[in-house]
Amino acid sequence: MAFIKIQKLVRDNSGKIISGSATIVDTEYEKAGTKSHCKHIVREKL
């Protein structure tokens, strides 16, 4: 499943975004023994 990951988002007083970064990432689940871990793979930088 893909989703947008947002980092360091900064807004001004009116709510306008003035800085930050975002990427579209895929999530892959890996089963290792008794625990499952997820890995985020960058699909595209925005």
Side-chain angles (χ1 to χ4, degrees):
M1 182 171 116
F3 65 96
I4 298 174
K5 182 177 179 181
I6 301 169
Q7 296 179 321
K8 300 181 183 179
L9 183 68
V10 178
R11 295 178 185 252
D12 63 5
N13 292 336
S14 64
K16 182 179 173 185
I17 297 172
I18 56 174
S19 69
S21 64
T23 57
I24 299 174
V25 295
D26 283 323
T27 303
E28 287 187 6
Y29 292 98
E30 298 178 344
K31 186 153 181 116
T34 59
K35 294 186 177 181
S36 296
H37 299 279
C38 67
K39 181 168 73 171
H40 298 281
I41 301 168
V42 175
R43 185 187 288 183
E44 183 177 345
K45 294 182 179 182
L46 304 174

